Amino acid sequence: MKKVKIRIPAKINLTLDIEGTRDGYHLLESLVASVDVYDTVRIRARKENVISVSFCGMNVGVKEKNSNAYFAAESFRKEFGVGGAEIVIERNIPVGAGLGSSSADIAGVLLGMAKLYGISRDLSQIASGLGSDVAYMLKGGYAVMRGRGEKVESISGVKRRFYVLIVTATSGVSTLESYKNYDKIGKLYPKNTSAAVSLLKEDDADNFFTVLKNDLFESSASLLPEIKNTLERLKKYGAAVMTGSGSAVYGIYKTKRERDKVYKELFSEYGDRLIKAETL
């Protein structure tokens, strides 16, 4: 095979419980879901052992050899002894929003390189070494991430599809700074992931919406106050949550009609910062 194309969806955190620290890392338990906003990774084989990466679409200012996608390709090449690759990534997932853009690109590169060179081995170990939630992004869907995000338990049999309205912020939030600020705040929050998983499996959407939350919200919102303002705006129309460490927040709805109604209400205020999506 000389070239491949891989589409990787964004993710949202439906819950995010911080459970402590170990070896300098925060440990979490988080219910996550894929949504239909995609980055597309195209890879062409090269005879010489050289990796090249270029970007198109949104947020393309990153330099090739500073990108996580480049490190992923080099790590794969060295791990499995394969040749080089010419990689083009079309970005549609907003960067620095908590939607998994960087991890999606890493996962797309790993899956693409494996397909390109016929590698059938488990990629989860190399994925975990490249980013906390990359192992999840390799599979997507509904899942619970634990530890630093490297432990992934997929949730099967969920037929419910939720409709979400994502609102991106005018700037991003550093994940590192958010966790540091979380430690400074020193506040403990109830753990909701287990309850959320049970309600999801029971298809109890109304009660499911009541347990969605993110332990990093207060921390990130104090770093970027517009997160709180946007969340409060969305909560006037129903359940709303921040994803990851921000800066995006989203409203979540049972029907497309509900979501689209909120979209129309908020479009004059947020414009192209609004993204319609649904869970996969």
Side-chain angles (χ1 to χ4, degrees):
M1 188 172 292
K2 294 183 178 180
K3 59 182 179 180
V4 299
K5 173 183 173 182
I6 302 288
R7 296 173 78 216
I8 299 289
K11 62 85 180 170
I12 55 172
N13 296 82
L14 295 156
T15 65
L16 197 159
D17 297 331
I18 297 177
E19 302 199 309
T21 59
R22 185 181 65 217
D23 300 327
Y25 291 97
H26 288 81
L27 305 178
L28 58 83
E29 185 175 51
S30 178
L31 174 61
V32 289
S34 299
V35 294
D36 62 344
V37 180
Y38 300 90
D39 277 6
T40 301
V41 181
R42 294 179 174 86
I43 308 179
R44 185 187 301 271
R46 299 180 64 166
K47 292 181 180 179
E48 62 274 25
N49 294 330
V50 175
I51 299 295
S52 67
V53 179
S54 60
F55 296 89
C56 59
M58 61 172 59
N59 302 107
V60 296
V62 64
K63 293 183 178 179
E64 167 192 321
K65 293 190 176 181
N66 289 335
S67 71
N68 289 323
Y70 177 83
F71 292 130
E74 279 288 5
S75 296
F76 187 97
R77 188 181 66 80
K78 293 173 182 176
E79 176 73 18
F80 297 110
V82 299
E86 178 185 319
I87 301 169
V88 178
I89 299 175
E90 179 185 334
R91 279 184 160 171
N92 295 294
I93 304 172
V95 175
L99 295 165
S101 175
S102 178
S103 295
D105 294 346
I106 295 170
V109 166
L110 295 179
L111 291 169
M113 292 281 283
K115 187 175 181 180
L116 186 72
Y117 284 107
I119 302 296
S120 58
R121 288 168 55 185
D122 181 19
L123 300 175
S124 58
Q125 185 171 355
I126 187 172
S128 296
L130 292 166
S132 295
D133 54 1
V134 178
Y136 162 72
M137 300 299 275
L138 289 174
K139 295 182 178 180
Y142 288 105
V144 174
M145 298 192 306
R146 295 185 175 90
R148 293 187 290 110
E150 79 283 4
K151 300 175 184 177
V152 182
E153 179 186 349
S154 296
I155 301 172
S156 59
V158 177
K159 297 181 180 179
R160 166 74 66 170
R161 176 174 295 181
F162 293 108
Y163 298 87
V164 298
L165 183 60
I166 301 165
V167 186
T168 60
T170 55
S171 62
V173 171
S174 162
T175 299
L176 178 61
E177 292 304 316
S178 180
Y179 276 109
K180 284 183 178 179
N181 202 34
Y182 170 87
D183 291 336
K184 289 179 184 177
I185 292 171
K187 187 175 180 179
L188 298 177
Y189 302 87
K191 309 306 178 189
N192 285 15
T193 298
S194 179
V197 171
S198 295
L199 292 166
L200 179 66
K201 291 179 177 179
E202 293 165 9
D203 196 24
D204 186 349
D206 290 329
N207 284 315
F208 177 71
F209 288 165
T210 68
V211 298
L212 305 185
K213 61 91 176 181
N214 187 325
D215 284 359
L216 288 174
F217 168 71
E218 189 173 344
S219 171
S220 293
S222 69
L223 296 171
L224 186 66
E226 74 173 272
I227 293 175
K228 182 177 181 180
N229 296 335
T230 303
L231 191 75
E232 290 176 348
R233 189 82 173 88
L234 279 172
K235 280 189 171 181
K236 292 180 179 180
Y237 301 94
V241 193
M242 182 183 80
T243 182
S245 58
S247 55
V249 300
Y250 63 90
I252 184 167
Y253 313 94
K254 289 186 286 185
T255 68
K256 185 183 294 186
R257 183 178 179 180
E258 290 176 282
R259 181 202 62 194
D260 291 353
K261 182 179 180 181
V262 180
Y263 177 87
K264 290 178 181 178
E265 290 280 343
L266 297 181
F267 184 80
S268 62
E269 187 174 348
Y270 294 103
D272 60 7
R273 289 167 52 199
L274 295 175
I275 301 172
K276 292 182 184 180
E278 56 192 70
T279 56
L280 300 171

